[in-house]
Amino acid sequence: MSEQEPRTGRQFSDEDLQDLVASTDSGARNPRNRTVALLIAGLALMWSLFQLWIAQPQLWFAQYLPVMNSTETRPIHLFFAIVLAFLAYPALKSSPRDRVPLTDWVLMAVGGFCTFYVFWFSDTLAMTARSGLPTQAQVIIGAIGIVILLEASRRALGPALTIVGALFLLYAYMGQGWLIPDLIEHEGLSFTALINAQWLDTGGVFGIPLGVSTAFVFLFVLFGSLLDKAGAGNYFIKLAFAGLGHLRGGPAKAAVVGSAMTGLISGSSIANVVTTGTFTIPLMKRVGFTSEQAGSVEVASSVNGQIMPPVMGAAAFLMVEFIGISYVEVIKHAFIPAVISYIALIYIVHLEALKKDMPALGEAKSFVGMLVKFFIGFAVAGAGFTALIYGVGALRGAVPDLTGPIMMTLLAAVYVSLVAIAARKPDLEVDDPNAEKIELPQVKDIYATGLHYILPIVVLVWFLMVERQSPARSAFFATALMIGIIATQRPLKALFRGQGAQMAAEFKAGLIDLREGLIAGARNMIGIGVATAAAGIIVATVTRTPIGTELAGLVEQLSGGVLFIMLVLVGLFSLILGMGLPTTANYIVVSSLMASVVVSLGAQEGLIVPLIAAHLFVFYFGIMADVTPPVGLASFAAAAVSGGDPIKTGFTAFFYSLRTVALPFLFIFNPTLILYGVDLGTWEGILQAVFVFVVATFAMLLFAAATQGYFLARSRIHESAALLLVAFTLFVPNVWLNMVQDPFRTLDGSRFETVLAEVPEGERLRLLIRGPDFNTGETAETTLVVDATGATGAERLANTGLLLLPEGEVMRLDEPMFGTETAEALIDFDFYADAPVTLASIQVAQDRMPAQVFYIPALLLLGLVVVLQRRRQTKPAF
């Protein structure tokens, strides 16, 4: 290390790093007592087997197994999580790790009893507590259970969620006090009502978040664990280095791609940092990155793994439940922002390499050539998948009853063939990044060794996207295939290598890998299981107190009614709420509190924000808490690997992640970026999606160049400003168009019935609703969108859910029909106050020139920047 770069942190050993991951993800306790160690492993194994049992989609043997409903499976899920939390996680850093103290045994037993009680007496609870008549014994058990759950949360996740959960419990109980603002005051819940709502009922601890963890998340975490145990993690990293290591700053580019591939199957930013970072960070430092820069690249790429479909740190499954849209829709909306964010990070790394004139490891290769190969490979894979879809469709039409068996036979044949190909190459070893001489692998030597790892991912995508099966069913089939691969890949390789005598030993080793993978998957779920249960406390509090509905008012007061400042405040609140929380709990907390705030504030200012856009907005800011000091858990993990300063690493990683901060604002103002309103079932929709992707990628690259201060050469301030302006125009050209042409013509609200009857079928009308706020009595406004659906004006009016009370030139509104979307949107208005709620005006979309017209001046400005920088350019841009 040079004198200009003093080491300000301590570089951890491999053992320290594994302990760091264990402490945060699977529990740091490793008992010396063999019986206790076997108990922990046995419970973890039982948990995985239990989850596979309840997930099996009524196969031939299902008739011999009892069927359990969600009120029974959720308590058992939490039972395993709490029991293992006290066995696997020490109470304090100073607590013994080689044995389980007596206090932990007691806490484990009491916590296990409180959760098992909810399972065993579910019928009794349905007749008593869940009917509003809890017994004193049930309340006592519930109160003890909540306290023990919060302690398990503290051990497994740190103090953040425990403190937040405790504060929400106090707020729900007290309701009023000098620390509680008037805006969110309420009468307070009785102790019995509080415990009933949080523990005994099905809407608190045992509510939707824990249900998602039980039904979906466990299987995906288990799938990722088995995939990694089979060797896929090392395969992905090696493949990334083989493809990108030869470029300028190649190790950093490989770190980004490797983290993206492992992020697909990982639910933990910290595990991703340590898993890939132990190899990538030393190599990044070799080619010229400082310790902090190397750690920051790894942090930015690992945290980005949490926004990458299909898992998204389990947030994708929670969005399905919270928003009420299909899983495929969530993936559709999340895909483009995640991909362009990764592409931009690769470009940022490339710009750093150009600025420092970094060498390549080995013989340098062309960055453009690599991109061309990537897109060719992507196109070939896409064409192959499309051909498979049509082939299966034809097979199903010809022999519908035999399609399943034929497909399973073909899948088995493909798997055996791919293992035979892999057997021709030696098994991949984990490289030493600190070796004196680094020999980068060749793609041709790597890709064939792990093609069979792609099959379970293809099966997962097939059932999710093509068959449109539920996430749980899809994950079950993918996991079942993964179990088969782990158990058979070793003996099959021995067979193909002519080592038939070793097949029995290799089969045994495969079963051991399977057992260890099942155990590891369950241990990785301890924190998530506890987190989703503890986060249920917050969800229940939000639904039973005014805090959820009144936060919008608080943000509006602080922002002075300026929409952009409102969004900045919501982003900051989400960032603060997410500090110290794992991705799953993070999303539950920030979405419960802030997502509806984004929608309601947007509506008040005339901006209609899709609910999925609001959820993605708060989710993006929530996961930035893993990056940002002072908590920044992923940054601290990266600094432990690199030996850099953790605070400096966090700030550098935040700077690299500015694109992730900018994206949520962009798709709030232009929802097309998340393909909202784009129909991928038509060729027109597909072409529109491709256009959006290309333009957004180009814009994001320009944004990255502007923030890095380097494009073709080092940028001057005015050039960076110009690049930002071009990027902004490409992302949201509608902002400029709205300044030139009003998007709507405004009509008086009294004409609503006439306008609704005259507009074309399916036309969207925006209604400005004005009236007294239910809580404050002050005049409030919001924008409501209604669709003109129906053959006649009367049918269309009925479909809107609005009840009109015309009074001369004023269109008064009565309380909307109960249960309609309109009633939900107008819930904050007081329809029984002296001042009426009125339909103030109607906005009808009008024909305008296309927003893409503004691309022309933007591209001309870009051309000017290119001309200016070409004069100073000293090295190729790619």
Side-chain angles (χ1 to χ4, degrees), residues 1 5-12 17 281-282 285 289-296 299 632 634-652:
M1 186 172 292
E5 189 204 330
R7 175 170 290 173
T8 52
R10 179 170 73 87
Q11 194 160 10
F12 285 34
L17 292 171
I281 288 174
K285 291 166 69 175
F289 284 89
T290 65
S291 296
E292 286 77 19
Q293 284 177 323
S296 299
V299 169
S635 297
F636 278 84
V641 179
S642 70
D645 176 64
I647 301 297
K648 190 175 179 183
T649 298
F651 280 115
T652 307

mmCIF file of all heavy atoms in Angstrom, residues 1 5-12 17 281-282 285 289-296 299 632 634-652:
data_model
loop_
_atom_site.group_PDB
_atom_site.id
_atom_site.type_symbol
_atom_site.label_atom_id
_atom_site.label_comp_id
_atom_site.label_asym_id
_atom_site.label_seq_id
_atom_site.Cartn_x
_atom_site.Cartn_y
_atom_site.Cartn_z
ATOM 1 N N MET A 1 0.847 -1.200 0.000
ATOM 2 C CA MET A 1 0.000 0.000 0.000
ATOM 3 C C MET A 1 0.876 1.241 0.000
ATOM 4 O O MET A 1 1.867 1.308 0.713
ATOM 5 C CB MET A 1 -0.908 -0.007 1.244
ATOM 6 C CG MET A 1 -1.924 1.121 1.241
ATOM 7 S SD MET A 1 -3.078 0.922 2.596
ATOM 8 C CE MET A 1 -3.931 -0.528 2.055
ATOM 9 N N GLU A 5 -1.981 6.328 0.651
ATOM 10 C CA GLU A 5 -3.214 5.635 1.024
ATOM 11 C C GLU A 5 -3.011 4.869 2.326
ATOM 12 O O GLU A 5 -2.785 3.673 2.351
ATOM 13 C CB GLU A 5 -3.627 4.663 -0.091
ATOM 14 C CG GLU A 5 -5.003 4.081 0.132
ATOM 15 C CD GLU A 5 -5.173 2.763 -0.590
ATOM 16 O OE1 GLU A 5 -4.560 2.554 -1.635
ATOM 17 O OE2 GLU A 5 -5.933 1.941 -0.065
ATOM 18 N N PRO A 6 -3.029 5.545 3.460
ATOM 19 C CA PRO A 6 -2.846 4.854 4.728
ATOM 20 C C PRO A 6 -4.031 3.972 5.029
ATOM 21 O O PRO A 6 -5.162 4.305 4.714
ATOM 22 C CB PRO A 6 -2.758 6.015 5.743
ATOM 23 C CG PRO A 6 -3.524 7.125 5.095
ATOM 24 C CD PRO A 6 -3.330 6.986 3.634
ATOM 25 N N ARG A 7 -3.771 2.857 5.616
ATOM 26 C CA ARG A 7 -4.862 1.956 5.980
ATOM 27 C C ARG A 7 -5.504 2.471 7.261
ATOM 28 O O ARG A 7 -4.854 2.615 8.283
ATOM 29 C CB ARG A 7 -4.328 0.538 6.178
ATOM 30 C CG ARG A 7 -5.396 -0.420 6.671
ATOM 31 C CD ARG A 7 -4.929 -1.845 6.633
ATOM 32 N NE ARG A 7 -4.818 -2.279 5.260
ATOM 33 C CZ ARG A 7 -4.292 -3.462 4.911
ATOM 34 N NH1 ARG A 7 -3.854 -4.286 5.823
ATOM 35 N NH2 ARG A 7 -4.208 -3.800 3.645
ATOM 36 N N THR A 8 -6.763 2.720 7.175
ATOM 37 C CA THR A 8 -7.470 3.260 8.331
ATOM 38 C C THR A 8 -8.373 2.234 8.980
ATOM 39 O O THR A 8 -8.991 2.496 9.989
ATOM 40 C CB THR A 8 -8.318 4.471 7.908
ATOM 41 O OG1 THR A 8 -9.113 4.094 6.800
ATOM 42 C CG2 THR A 8 -7.436 5.654 7.536
ATOM 43 N N GLY A 9 -8.483 1.064 8.387
ATOM 44 C CA GLY A 9 -9.305 0.010 8.961
ATOM 45 C C GLY A 9 -8.489 -1.240 9.180
ATOM 46 O O GLY A 9 -7.312 -1.306 8.853
ATOM 47 N N ARG A 10 -9.118 -2.246 9.758
ATOM 48 C CA ARG A 10 -8.426 -3.517 9.997
ATOM 49 C C ARG A 10 -8.963 -4.544 9.032
ATOM 50 O O ARG A 10 -10.162 -4.753 8.936
ATOM 51 C CB ARG A 10 -8.686 -3.980 11.441
ATOM 52 C CG ARG A 10 -8.017 -5.311 11.768
ATOM 53 C CD ARG A 10 -8.101 -5.566 13.257
ATOM 54 N NE ARG A 10 -9.441 -5.926 13.665
ATOM 55 C CZ ARG A 10 -9.916 -7.171 13.652
ATOM 56 N NH1 ARG A 10 -9.167 -8.161 13.210
ATOM 57 N NH2 ARG A 10 -11.141 -7.430 14.070
ATOM 58 N N GLN A 11 -8.044 -5.192 8.291
ATOM 59 C CA GLN A 11 -8.462 -6.213 7.341
ATOM 60 C C GLN A 11 -8.691 -7.523 8.084
ATOM 61 O O GLN A 11 -7.815 -7.981 8.809
ATOM 62 C CB GLN A 11 -7.409 -6.389 6.245
ATOM 63 C CG GLN A 11 -7.919 -7.180 5.062
ATOM 64 C CD GLN A 11 -7.086 -6.939 3.827
ATOM 65 O OE1 GLN A 11 -6.035 -6.329 3.902
ATOM 66 N NE2 GLN A 11 -7.558 -7.411 2.687
ATOM 67 N N PHE A 12 -9.842 -8.091 7.930
ATOM 68 C CA PHE A 12 -10.207 -9.294 8.662
ATOM 69 C C PHE A 12 -9.666 -10.532 7.962
ATOM 70 O O PHE A 12 -9.501 -10.558 6.747
ATOM 71 C CB PHE A 12 -11.733 -9.401 8.765
ATOM 72 C CG PHE A 12 -12.367 -8.465 9.765
ATOM 73 C CD1 PHE A 12 -11.846 -7.197 9.996
ATOM 74 C CD2 PHE A 12 -13.481 -8.855 10.468
ATOM 75 C CE1 PHE A 12 -12.432 -6.344 10.900
ATOM 76 C CE2 PHE A 12 -14.078 -8.006 11.385
ATOM 77 C CZ PHE A 12 -13.556 -6.746 11.598
ATOM 78 N N LEU A 17 -14.240 -13.083 8.676
ATOM 79 C CA LEU A 17 -15.297 -12.729 7.737
ATOM 80 C C LEU A 17 -16.441 -13.726 7.788
ATOM 81 O O LEU A 17 -17.613 -13.349 7.736
ATOM 82 C CB LEU A 17 -14.728 -12.646 6.315
ATOM 83 C CG LEU A 17 -13.753 -11.484 6.061
ATOM 84 C CD1 LEU A 17 -13.106 -11.640 4.698
ATOM 85 C CD2 LEU A 17 -14.472 -10.152 6.162
ATOM 86 N N ILE A 281 -12.375 -7.912 -4.100
ATOM 87 C CA ILE A 281 -11.775 -6.703 -3.526
ATOM 88 C C ILE A 281 -10.246 -6.717 -3.610
ATOM 89 O O ILE A 281 -9.635 -5.722 -4.040
ATOM 90 C CB ILE A 281 -12.293 -6.477 -2.086
ATOM 91 C CG1 ILE A 281 -13.755 -6.029 -2.134
ATOM 92 C CG2 ILE A 281 -11.448 -5.452 -1.338
ATOM 93 C CD1 ILE A 281 -14.424 -5.900 -0.785
ATOM 94 N N PRO A 282 -9.561 -7.814 -3.219
ATOM 95 C CA PRO A 282 -8.100 -7.813 -3.380
ATOM 96 C C PRO A 282 -7.659 -7.608 -4.832
ATOM 97 O O PRO A 282 -6.656 -6.927 -5.086
ATOM 98 C CB PRO A 282 -7.687 -9.204 -2.869
ATOM 99 C CG PRO A 282 -8.782 -9.609 -1.942
ATOM 100 C CD PRO A 282 -10.024 -9.034 -2.534
ATOM 101 N N LYS A 285 -7.976 -3.947 -5.812
ATOM 102 C CA LYS A 285 -6.869 -3.162 -5.250
ATOM 103 C C LYS A 285 -5.590 -3.365 -6.059
ATOM 104 O O LYS A 285 -4.777 -2.449 -6.188
ATOM 105 C CB LYS A 285 -6.661 -3.552 -3.781
ATOM 106 C CG LYS A 285 -7.809 -3.098 -2.874
ATOM 107 C CD LYS A 285 -7.778 -3.757 -1.517
ATOM 108 C CE LYS A 285 -6.613 -3.285 -0.680
ATOM 109 N NZ LYS A 285 -6.664 -3.852 0.685
ATOM 110 N N PHE A 289 -7.495 0.379 -7.606
ATOM 111 C CA PHE A 289 -8.552 0.924 -6.755
ATOM 112 C C PHE A 289 -8.041 1.051 -5.327
ATOM 113 O O PHE A 289 -7.305 0.179 -4.838
ATOM 114 C CB PHE A 289 -9.783 0.004 -6.767
ATOM 115 C CG PHE A 289 -10.613 0.089 -8.012
ATOM 116 C CD1 PHE A 289 -10.335 -0.713 -9.099
ATOM 117 C CD2 PHE A 289 -11.672 0.983 -8.105
ATOM 118 C CE1 PHE A 289 -11.099 -0.653 -10.263
ATOM 119 C CE2 PHE A 289 -12.446 1.068 -9.258
ATOM 120 C CZ PHE A 289 -12.149 0.251 -10.334
ATOM 121 N N THR A 290 -8.427 2.134 -4.639
ATOM 122 C CA THR A 290 -8.086 2.242 -3.225
ATOM 123 C C THR A 290 -8.931 1.240 -2.434
ATOM 124 O O THR A 290 -9.910 0.683 -2.955
ATOM 125 C CB THR A 290 -8.374 3.655 -2.694
ATOM 126 O OG1 THR A 290 -9.786 3.892 -2.752
ATOM 127 C CG2 THR A 290 -7.648 4.719 -3.531
ATOM 128 N N SER A 291 -8.564 1.039 -1.185
ATOM 129 C CA SER A 291 -9.326 0.102 -0.341
ATOM 130 C C SER A 291 -10.788 0.521 -0.264
ATOM 131 O O SER A 291 -11.701 -0.312 -0.353
ATOM 132 C CB SER A 291 -8.727 0.053 1.073
ATOM 133 O OG SER A 291 -7.418 -0.454 1.034
ATOM 134 N N GLU A 292 -11.017 1.841 -0.109
ATOM 135 C CA GLU A 292 -12.393 2.325 0.017
ATOM 136 C C GLU A 292 -13.157 2.189 -1.299
ATOM 137 O O GLU A 292 -14.336 1.832 -1.315
ATOM 138 C CB GLU A 292 -12.396 3.792 0.472
ATOM 139 C CG GLU A 292 -12.034 4.001 1.934
ATOM 140 C CD GLU A 292 -10.535 3.868 2.197
ATOM 141 O OE1 GLU A 292 -9.754 3.975 1.223
ATOM 142 O OE2 GLU A 292 -10.146 3.651 3.353
ATOM 143 N N GLN A 293 -12.481 2.480 -2.422
ATOM 144 C CA GLN A 293 -13.158 2.342 -3.715
ATOM 145 C C GLN A 293 -13.506 0.884 -4.011
ATOM 146 O O GLN A 293 -14.601 0.581 -4.480
ATOM 147 C CB GLN A 293 -12.274 2.902 -4.828
ATOM 148 C CG GLN A 293 -12.236 4.417 -4.891
ATOM 149 C CD GLN A 293 -11.288 4.908 -5.968
ATOM 150 O OE1 GLN A 293 -10.231 4.317 -6.201
ATOM 151 N NE2 GLN A 293 -11.657 5.987 -6.630
ATOM 152 N N ALA A 294 -12.561 -0.011 -3.722
ATOM 153 C CA ALA A 294 -12.807 -1.439 -3.978
ATOM 154 C C ALA A 294 -13.977 -1.927 -3.132
ATOM 155 O O ALA A 294 -14.882 -2.620 -3.626
ATOM 156 C CB ALA A 294 -11.548 -2.246 -3.668
ATOM 157 N N GLY A 295 -13.974 -1.548 -1.854
ATOM 158 C CA GLY A 295 -15.091 -1.937 -0.990
ATOM 159 C C GLY A 295 -16.399 -1.311 -1.440
ATOM 160 O O GLY A 295 -17.453 -1.951 -1.399
ATOM 161 N N SER A 296 -16.350 -0.068 -1.933
ATOM 162 C CA SER A 296 -17.569 0.644 -2.347
ATOM 163 C C SER A 296 -18.192 0.011 -3.582
ATOM 164 O O SER A 296 -19.419 -0.075 -3.684
ATOM 165 C CB SER A 296 -17.236 2.114 -2.634
ATOM 166 O OG SER A 296 -16.734 2.737 -1.480
ATOM 167 N N VAL A 299 -19.954 -3.014 -2.405
ATOM 168 C CA VAL A 299 -21.176 -2.659 -1.677
ATOM 169 C C VAL A 299 -22.274 -2.252 -2.650
ATOM 170 O O VAL A 299 -23.418 -2.735 -2.562
ATOM 171 C CB VAL A 299 -20.903 -1.499 -0.690
ATOM 172 C CG1 VAL A 299 -22.219 -0.946 -0.132
ATOM 173 C CG2 VAL A 299 -20.035 -1.974 0.456
ATOM 174 N N GLY A 632 -25.088 1.559 7.773
ATOM 175 C CA GLY A 632 -24.457 0.966 6.604
ATOM 176 C C GLY A 632 -23.803 -0.392 6.798
ATOM 177 O O GLY A 632 -22.588 -0.528 6.650
ATOM 178 N N ALA A 634 -23.637 -3.155 5.084
ATOM 179 C CA ALA A 634 -22.881 -3.701 3.960
ATOM 180 C C ALA A 634 -21.547 -2.983 3.803
ATOM 181 O O ALA A 634 -20.528 -3.601 3.463
ATOM 182 C CB ALA A 634 -23.699 -3.592 2.675
ATOM 183 N N SER A 635 -21.522 -1.672 4.059
ATOM 184 C CA SER A 635 -20.273 -0.907 3.963
ATOM 185 C C SER A 635 -19.279 -1.356 5.026
ATOM 186 O O SER A 635 -18.073 -1.449 4.765
ATOM 187 C CB SER A 635 -20.562 0.590 4.107
ATOM 188 O OG SER A 635 -21.375 1.049 3.048
ATOM 189 N N PHE A 636 -19.770 -1.644 6.220
ATOM 190 C CA PHE A 636 -18.883 -2.128 7.281
ATOM 191 C C PHE A 636 -18.329 -3.506 6.930
ATOM 192 O O PHE A 636 -17.169 -3.802 7.184
ATOM 193 C CB PHE A 636 -19.625 -2.165 8.622
ATOM 194 C CG PHE A 636 -19.678 -0.837 9.317
ATOM 195 C CD1 PHE A 636 -20.661 0.079 8.990
ATOM 196 C CD2 PHE A 636 -18.731 -0.480 10.268
ATOM 197 C CE1 PHE A 636 -20.708 1.326 9.610
ATOM 198 C CE2 PHE A 636 -18.778 0.753 10.894
ATOM 199 C CZ PHE A 636 -19.756 1.667 10.574
ATOM 200 N N ALA A 637 -19.162 -4.347 6.312
ATOM 201 C CA ALA A 637 -18.689 -5.671 5.911
ATOM 202 C C ALA A 637 -17.616 -5.547 4.834
ATOM 203 O O ALA A 637 -16.595 -6.249 4.857
ATOM 204 C CB ALA A 637 -19.860 -6.515 5.408
ATOM 205 N N ALA A 638 -17.825 -4.645 3.864
ATOM 206 C CA ALA A 638 -16.838 -4.461 2.791
ATOM 207 C C ALA A 638 -15.530 -3.904 3.347
ATOM 208 O O ALA A 638 -14.439 -4.302 2.910
ATOM 209 C CB ALA A 638 -17.406 -3.526 1.725
ATOM 210 N N ALA A 639 -15.629 -2.987 4.308
ATOM 211 C CA ALA A 639 -14.420 -2.430 4.915
ATOM 212 C C ALA A 639 -13.655 -3.507 5.679
ATOM 213 O O ALA A 639 -12.421 -3.488 5.734
ATOM 214 C CB ALA A 639 -14.793 -1.276 5.845
ATOM 215 N N ALA A 640 -14.382 -4.470 6.258
ATOM 216 C CA ALA A 640 -13.727 -5.574 6.956
ATOM 217 C C ALA A 640 -12.918 -6.426 5.984
ATOM 218 O O ALA A 640 -11.885 -6.985 6.330
ATOM 219 C CB ALA A 640 -14.770 -6.433 7.670
ATOM 220 N N VAL A 641 -13.395 -6.520 4.736
ATOM 221 C CA VAL A 641 -12.665 -7.291 3.723
ATOM 222 C C VAL A 641 -11.495 -6.496 3.175
ATOM 223 O O VAL A 641 -10.382 -7.005 3.018
ATOM 224 C CB VAL A 641 -13.610 -7.694 2.561
ATOM 225 C CG1 VAL A 641 -12.848 -8.476 1.495
ATOM 226 C CG2 VAL A 641 -14.779 -8.524 3.071
ATOM 227 N N SER A 642 -11.725 -5.206 2.888
ATOM 228 C CA SER A 642 -10.713 -4.403 2.196
ATOM 229 C C SER A 642 -9.666 -3.809 3.121
ATOM 230 O O SER A 642 -8.565 -3.471 2.682
ATOM 231 C CB SER A 642 -11.397 -3.268 1.425
ATOM 232 O OG SER A 642 -11.933 -2.309 2.325
ATOM 233 N N GLY A 643 -10.013 -3.665 4.414
ATOM 234 C CA GLY A 643 -9.108 -2.993 5.330
ATOM 235 C C GLY A 643 -9.240 -1.492 5.251
ATOM 236 O O GLY A 643 -8.431 -0.756 5.819
ATOM 237 N N GLY A 644 -10.246 -0.983 4.527
ATOM 238 C CA GLY A 644 -10.448 0.452 4.400
ATOM 239 C C GLY A 644 -11.249 1.019 5.544
ATOM 240 O O GLY A 644 -11.723 0.299 6.432
ATOM 241 N N ASP A 645 -11.414 2.338 5.515
ATOM 242 C CA ASP A 645 -12.201 3.015 6.542
ATOM 243 C C ASP A 645 -13.689 2.803 6.259
ATOM 244 O O ASP A 645 -14.158 3.126 5.163
ATOM 245 C CB ASP A 645 -11.871 4.507 6.542
ATOM 246 C CG ASP A 645 -12.737 5.281 7.514
ATOM 247 O OD1 ASP A 645 -12.621 5.029 8.728
ATOM 248 O OD2 ASP A 645 -13.535 6.113 7.064
ATOM 249 N N PRO A 646 -14.450 2.268 7.214
ATOM 250 C CA PRO A 646 -15.854 1.943 6.931
ATOM 251 C C PRO A 646 -16.720 3.154 6.619
ATOM 252 O O PRO A 646 -17.606 3.091 5.763
ATOM 253 C CB PRO A 646 -16.332 1.235 8.203
ATOM 254 C CG PRO A 646 -15.311 1.514 9.242
ATOM 255 C CD PRO A 646 -14.024 1.807 8.546
ATOM 256 N N ILE A 647 -16.483 4.285 7.295
ATOM 257 C CA ILE A 647 -17.293 5.480 7.034
ATOM 258 C C ILE A 647 -17.008 6.019 5.638
ATOM 259 O O ILE A 647 -17.922 6.342 4.873
ATOM 260 C CB ILE A 647 -17.014 6.570 8.096
ATOM 261 C CG1 ILE A 647 -17.346 6.034 9.502
ATOM 262 C CG2 ILE A 647 -17.827 7.819 7.792
ATOM 263 C CD1 ILE A 647 -18.801 5.672 9.700
ATOM 264 N N LYS A 648 -15.715 6.090 5.282
ATOM 265 C CA LYS A 648 -15.352 6.571 3.951
ATOM 266 C C LYS A 648 -15.867 5.610 2.875
ATOM 267 O O LYS A 648 -16.327 6.030 1.811
ATOM 268 C CB LYS A 648 -13.833 6.720 3.844
ATOM 269 C CG LYS A 648 -13.372 7.431 2.587
ATOM 270 C CD LYS A 648 -11.864 7.653 2.608
ATOM 271 C CE LYS A 648 -11.417 8.338 1.321
ATOM 272 N NZ LYS A 648 -9.942 8.517 1.279
ATOM 273 N N THR A 649 -15.793 4.311 3.172
ATOM 274 C CA THR A 649 -16.333 3.319 2.234
ATOM 275 C C THR A 649 -17.827 3.549 2.021
ATOM 276 O O THR A 649 -18.326 3.490 0.895
ATOM 277 C CB THR A 649 -16.101 1.892 2.771
ATOM 278 O OG1 THR A 649 -14.700 1.659 2.895
ATOM 279 C CG2 THR A 649 -16.705 0.845 1.840
ATOM 280 N N GLY A 650 -18.550 3.819 3.108
ATOM 281 C CA GLY A 650 -19.989 4.049 3.012
ATOM 282 C C GLY A 650 -20.325 5.260 2.168
ATOM 283 O O GLY A 650 -21.227 5.220 1.321
ATOM 284 N N PHE A 651 -19.606 6.372 2.365
ATOM 285 C CA PHE A 651 -19.891 7.579 1.592
ATOM 286 C C PHE A 651 -19.531 7.395 0.115
ATOM 287 O O PHE A 651 -20.244 7.859 -0.775
ATOM 288 C CB PHE A 651 -19.148 8.782 2.180
ATOM 289 C CG PHE A 651 -19.829 9.368 3.386
ATOM 290 C CD1 PHE A 651 -19.224 9.341 4.632
ATOM 291 C CD2 PHE A 651 -21.099 9.933 3.277
ATOM 292 C CE1 PHE A 651 -19.866 9.872 5.746
ATOM 293 C CE2 PHE A 651 -21.741 10.462 4.385
ATOM 294 C CZ PHE A 651 -21.132 10.434 5.621
ATOM 295 N N THR A 652 -18.407 6.711 -0.145
ATOM 296 C CA THR A 652 -18.026 6.445 -1.541
ATOM 297 C C THR A 652 -19.062 5.542 -2.199
ATOM 298 O O THR A 652 -19.453 5.754 -3.358
ATOM 299 C CB THR A 652 -16.642 5.779 -1.612
ATOM 300 O OG1 THR A 652 -15.698 6.564 -0.875
ATOM 301 C CG2 THR A 652 -16.165 5.660 -3.038
#
